[in-house]
Amino acid sequence: MNVRAGAAARPALTTRPQWLALQRHRDQIKARHLREIFADDPARGERLRAEAAGLYFDYSKQRVTDETLRLLLDLANACGLPQRIAAMFSGGRINTTEDRAVLHVALRAPRGEHIEVDGKDIVPEVHAVLDRMAAFSGKVRSGAWVGHSGKRIRNVISIGIGGSDLGPVMAYETLRDYSQRDMVFRFVSNVDGTDFVEATRDLDAAETLFIICSKTFTTLETLTNAYAARAWALKVLGGADADKSGAVAKHFVAVSTNVDEVRKFGIDTAQMFGFWDWVGGRYSMDSAIGLSTMIAIGAENFRAMLAGFHAIDEHFRTTPFERNLPTLMGLLAIWNNNFLGATTVAVLPYAQYLKRFPAYLQQLTMESNGKHVTLDGVHVDYETGPIYWGEPGTNGQHSFYQLIHQGTRLVPCDFIGFCQALNPLGNQHDLLMANLFAQSEALAFGKTVAEVKAEGTPDALVPHRVCEGDRPSTTILAERLTPHALGALVALYEHSVFVQGTIWNIDSFDQWGVELGKALAKRTALEIASQKDPELAHDSSTNALIRRYRRLRGGDA
């Protein structure tokens, strides 16, 4: 199949006049330090900012000029970004290698909007699932849904992996302040048995509900953990007799589309919540995959989160690019990655509740844009997806900020902060935000030799105390960390990923690279489980590792 569905191949990115113009421009301004740029434009901090959906986006500390921005916008238009946005929102099959539409924006479309896939309006289906989720979560939260023994459900464990885990975990941790505090929420993803054992060690199975999140209900890690959960629960609830009397149906629900496998597991298909092929796993936290989130924070707060997503969706779809937050974020990432040579992005949330946000973004960004061929199947001759990483607040300052300030690698930073504390404690929030503002300032402007010497520093130590500055960053501020703010923040990064993928002419919505290791693992698992010493046909290293493992694994296998 022609993955471009008959479309003409695009010109090579690095031969486009707009790309070449950016290279020339980079060479012209590369010697200009941010200190000089700010000195020449004192109002820069007021100009180079944009706002939408309660997010304040300050990009004035990026190493760009007005001309840089103009050239980046020229590149975006030349690469067909307006047309690509329109195609996504209209249900075009822009995931060409899987011949699918990409419509996570439909998951947060208000009731009554009209979005079609193959001539069918999908918004009513989305809201039908949301309504069923709301009804079920309300029963669990109120105590109306009870377990097999009649006990109230007090523990919810969501079992999934990848997008079926990272999104719900991040959303729960971020919105924990809004969660129902007389309930316990935990998440199991790793096939390492330790993950399941530690999640259930102190829980009563009679009070525990499991949410099994697997679109196909065949994902190896998820089903392995699901059957472990089933055995653990039935052991307490009465074994095979409990199974026959419907205990599984009272303690397990599914987020899946595979009715037969869900029923075979023992889950009542009336408690099966579906989603669609046009929802990618890493874009699914606002679908039924977010059932654990809705149980934790309630349907009203969940819908507020969806409203935050939708506000950025509409902003992205309708706002001119020069004021468009996701477009600006994506184009700045292109500038830093492809023209300034930055291979990573540090995401630094000054909010403890966002501690899992960098991990969530790792899948969103790197699974999306970690690609080496274009939509036409041609190997790229430029860098694609940078590595995303980070830690919350002042923790990182006492860890890796040394490299960001004085290391030899350029690390653009995204600082994220909130003006109002959810947990006011003395002046600690002021101190937290003072650190955020100070770090972005220090990275931009540094500390010169003259400034170090003026402090009376001995000459031998001067080089060690100089911070060169000129390290780019963006600061994102919101009034308060609310469900709406989280939705807006996630949508901002989602659409930034889309912008980057459009410029690079890659498919940001498939993940074929993930499949190879999974296929090899299935074969290797059979070899490990074999009662006889199997004939191994791997490379010499893998063969030796398998044999050593089989010899030393002990009797627990």
Side-chain angles (χ1 to χ4, degrees):
M1 179 179 73
N2 182 348
V3 298
R4 291 283 286 172
R10 270 181 23 171
L13 179 60
T14 53
T15 65
R16 285 185 178 275
Q18 297 83 6
W19 185 275
L20 298 173
L22 279 161
Q23 288 181 325
R24 292 191 297 271
H25 172 70
R26 183 242 356 249
D27 294 340
Q28 292 166 0
I29 70 166
K30 64 182 179 182
R32 296 193 70 199
H33 195 287
L34 276 168
R35 285 191 292 263
E36 178 185 349
I37 292 173
F38 267 83
D40 291 344
D41 182 7
R44 176 183 174 88
E46 294 292 327
R47 286 194 310 105
L48 298 189
R49 60 181 177 82
E51 295 185 60
L55 301 181
Y56 179 95
F57 185 84
D58 174 7
Y59 58 100
S60 62
K61 295 187 180 78
Q62 291 286 341
R63 283 164 52 177
V64 295
T65 65
D66 291 343
E67 179 67 3
T68 316
L69 295 168
R70 184 187 69 77
L71 293 171
L72 286 168
L73 293 172
D74 287 347
L75 179 66
N77 284 301
C79 291
L81 181 59
Q83 295 82 2
R84 186 83 168 165
I85 293 171
M88 178 174 70
F89 278 85
S90 64
R93 294 177 178 271
I94 64 171
N95 177 356
T96 51
T97 71
E98 296 178 300
D99 193 28
R100 291 177 180 172
V102 176
L103 272 173
H104 43 278
V105 295
L107 297 173
R108 52 266 194 157
R111 204 183 300 268
E113 282 209 359
H114 186 82
I115 300 174
E116 287 192 358
V117 173
D118 298 332
K120 181 181 180 181
D121 184 5
I122 58 176
V123 176
E125 293 182 16
V126 169
H127 281 275
V129 173
L130 284 171
D131 290 343
R132 290 184 58 237
M133 289 168 62
F136 179 75
S137 64
K139 290 178 183 177
V140 175
R141 286 167 60 84
S142 70
W145 182 276
V146 296
H148 180 62
S149 64
K151 287 187 175 181
R152 177 176 180 170
I153 296 297
R154 299 188 182 279
N155 316 307
V156 175
I157 298 181
S158 182
I159 296 179
I161 198 164
S164 297
D165 172 71
L166 286 164
V169 170
M170 182 276 292
Y172 170 67
E173 292 293 347
T174 301
L175 301 176
R176 182 179 284 204
D177 194 59
Y178 301 85
S179 68
Q180 185 156 325
R181 294 302 182 121
D182 62 350
M183 297 185 69
V184 171
F185 293 87
R186 292 181 183 164
F187 302 84
V188 174
S189 59
N190 201 328
V191 77
D192 183 343
T194 299
D195 200 11
F196 178 80
V197 169
E198 289 296 336
T200 57
R201 185 184 296 277
D202 59 342
L203 302 184
D204 180 354
E207 298 178 337
T208 301
L209 175 73
F210 290 94
I211 303 173
I212 313 302
C213 299
S214 173
K215 181 185 289 188
T216 62
F217 222 75
T218 59
T219 307
L220 176 63
E221 298 91 338
T222 299
L223 267 292
T224 299
N225 280 318
Y227 277 101
R230 191 175 184 274
W232 175 82
L234 289 177
K235 184 177 180 180
V236 173
L237 298 172
D241 290 338
D243 186 11
K244 292 175 183 177
S245 63
V248 171
K250 298 299 292 183
H251 291 270
F252 288 79
V253 299
V255 179
S256 181
T257 57
N258 192 332
V259 174
D260 292 339
E261 289 299 317
V262 168
R263 184 183 292 116
K264 186 167 73 174
F265 186 90
I267 294 174
D268 182 353
T269 55
Q271 306 309 329
M272 181 177 119
F273 303 88
F275 53 115
W276 305 269
D277 281 345
W278 40 261
V279 181
R282 56 193 175 274
Y283 296 90
S284 66
M285 62 171 278
D286 45 352
S287 72
I289 290 295
L291 180 60
S292 60
T293 308
M294 186 182 282
I295 296 173
I297 66 173
E300 184 177 349
N301 280 322
F302 193 89
R303 292 186 187 277
M305 182 180 74
L306 297 182
F309 273 102
H310 181 67
I312 288 292
D313 293 343
E314 285 301 290
H315 169 79
F316 180 52
R317 186 178 68 86
T318 63
T319 304
F321 287 165
E322 61 270 17
R323 302 195 310 275
N324 191 306
L325 270 65
T327 299
L328 290 168
M329 176 180 262
L331 292 176
L332 290 167
I334 294 288
W335 173 250
N336 288 329
N337 182 69
N338 295 108
F339 297 95
L340 300 187
T343 58
T344 81
V345 178
V347 180
L348 309 170
Y350 278 64
Q352 184 63 21
Y353 283 127
L354 279 171
K355 65 183 180 181
R356 293 292 291 167
F357 191 61
Y360 171 77
L361 290 183
Q362 286 172 348
Q363 187 196 23
L364 174 64
T365 60
M366 294 194 285
E367 192 168 86
S368 294
N369 285 342
K371 309 294 168 62
H372 68 277
V373 297
T374 67
L375 289 168
D376 310 297
V378 178
H379 206 290
V380 300
D381 60 352
Y382 42 85
E383 298 293 336
T384 59
I387 297 164
Y388 277 70
W389 57 284
E391 283 288 330
T394 55
N395 295 5
Q397 293 177 200
H398 292 265
S399 175
F400 50 78
Y401 276 44
Q402 170 62 38
L403 183 146
I404 298 176
H405 281 286
Q406 289 188 315
T408 58
R409 300 180 184 276
L410 182 67
V411 183
C413 299
D414 289 350
F415 290 97
I416 303 170
F418 301 88
C419 298
Q420 297 177 12
L422 291 177
N423 295 292
L425 192 62
N427 69 341
Q428 287 187 215
H429 192 70
D430 289 347
L431 181 60
L432 176 73
M433 295 302 291
N435 273 274
L436 184 161
F437 302 140
Q439 290 295 330
S440 68
E441 183 179 16
L443 286 170
F445 306 112
K447 197 172 189 179
T448 66
V449 170
E451 289 169 336
V452 173
K453 285 184 175 181
E455 295 175 341
T457 305
D459 288 348
L461 293 181
V462 168
H464 299 276
R465 296 188 178 180
V466 167
C467 290
E468 294 174 345
D470 210 26
R471 311 292 174 112
S473 70
T474 295
T475 299
I476 302 167
L477 291 181
E479 182 177 338
R480 190 174 178 86
L481 180 48
T482 62
H484 187 282
L486 175 61
L489 194 60
V490 173
L492 170 64
Y493 278 93
E494 285 180 347
H495 295 314
S496 169
V497 165
F498 176 88
V499 170
Q500 294 170 62
T502 297
I503 302 300
W504 291 322
N505 193 29
I506 59 177
D507 191 332
S508 298
F509 305 103
D510 61 13
Q511 55 280 329
W512 298 106
V514 176
E515 301 303 321
L516 174 59
K518 289 166 63 175
L520 291 174
K522 288 181 180 179
R523 166 185 159 193
T524 304
L526 293 174
E527 292 168 340
I528 288 173
S530 174
Q531 297 301 310
K532 300 177 181 179
D533 192 14
E535 290 291 328
L536 300 178
H538 303 277
D539 61 275
S540 59
S541 168
T542 305
N543 288 342
L545 290 167
I546 292 171
R547 291 191 179 105
R548 183 171 183 84
Y549 172 73
R550 282 174 54 87
R551 189 170 69 249
L552 297 179
R553 64 181 168 171
D556 62 340

